[in-house]
Amino acid sequence: MAARTAGDFVPDTHDLDDLAEAALGCKGCDLYLNATQTVFGAGSSAADMMLVGEQPGDQEDKAGAPFVGPAGRLLDKALAAAGIDRDRLYVTNAVKHFKFTLPERGKRRIHKTPSRTEVVACRPWLFAEMMAVQPDVVVLLGATAAKSLMGNDFRLTTHRDEALHMPVADATPHLEIDPEVVVSAHPSAVLRGPPEAREMAFDALVSDLQFAAGLLGK
């Protein structure tokens, strides 16, 4: 029997509202069992730039919207510094459910990185979003997002400041678009870094966003 994926739940449509509604019932992997809800992408259906993160965090899981927690606030600050209007973007995650562990004591849910199997299982939703929005530039924030589209052997740190394209592979030939791809650190990585390095990491994120925006005007 073939492995279950989100592809079993994705409707044949390019309408973002219909996709978002269908995603609420997705059981393409087991992450839905513990998450509060599906967190689908948000933003303009006519966006020329799409930002892709890893997965929703604790606050996103509760709110049902992407990038509304601490990492989202830092992203908003970086976008403003880069001169980019978030309202003109489409923002989503490679995985649509929050993966977490619970400590032995306390109730604080601790983020856990999605497995490769979970990322691949959820990828049909990301492909559907890309086909609906048809962005000219896709910015992959963090290693999980980068590997979701660029392959499991992709190394983010060696490809910053580059305009890339998704590899042609068995998983992607049905995509009828070929956006330029830019990779950068996830905003949460900036927050987790040592205090003395955060300013430099933030400036690097802003620079990556400016580079991505510059590709739209060339």
Side-chain angles (χ1 to χ4, degrees), residues 113-181:
T113 301
S115 70
R116 180 63 181 171
T117 299
E118 290 158 346
V119 171
V120 172
C122 201
R123 196 162 50 185
W125 288 118
L126 181 55
F127 289 164
E129 289 173 296
M130 292 175 67
M131 286 300 299
V133 177
Q134 303 217 359
D136 295 316
V137 175
V138 174
V139 181
L140 303 176
L141 299 170
T144 298
K147 290 180 179 181
S148 73
L149 290 183
M150 305 303 289
N152 201 45
D153 294 330
F154 184 83
R155 295 293 175 264
L156 183 151
T157 53
T158 62
H159 292 284
R160 293 179 78 162
D161 295 323
E162 292 183 33
L164 308 169
H165 289 269
M166 291 182 293
V168 177
D170 292 342
T172 59
H174 65 282
L175 282 178
E176 299 167 5
I177 58 173
D178 184 26
E180 293 189 280
V181 176

Side-chain angles (χ1 to χ4, degrees), residues 94-107:
V95 173
K96 311 303 187 199
H97 287 107
F98 179 34
K99 183 175 183 178
F100 60 91
T101 59
L102 291 172
E104 293 183 7
R105 297 180 180 180
K107 298 181 180 180

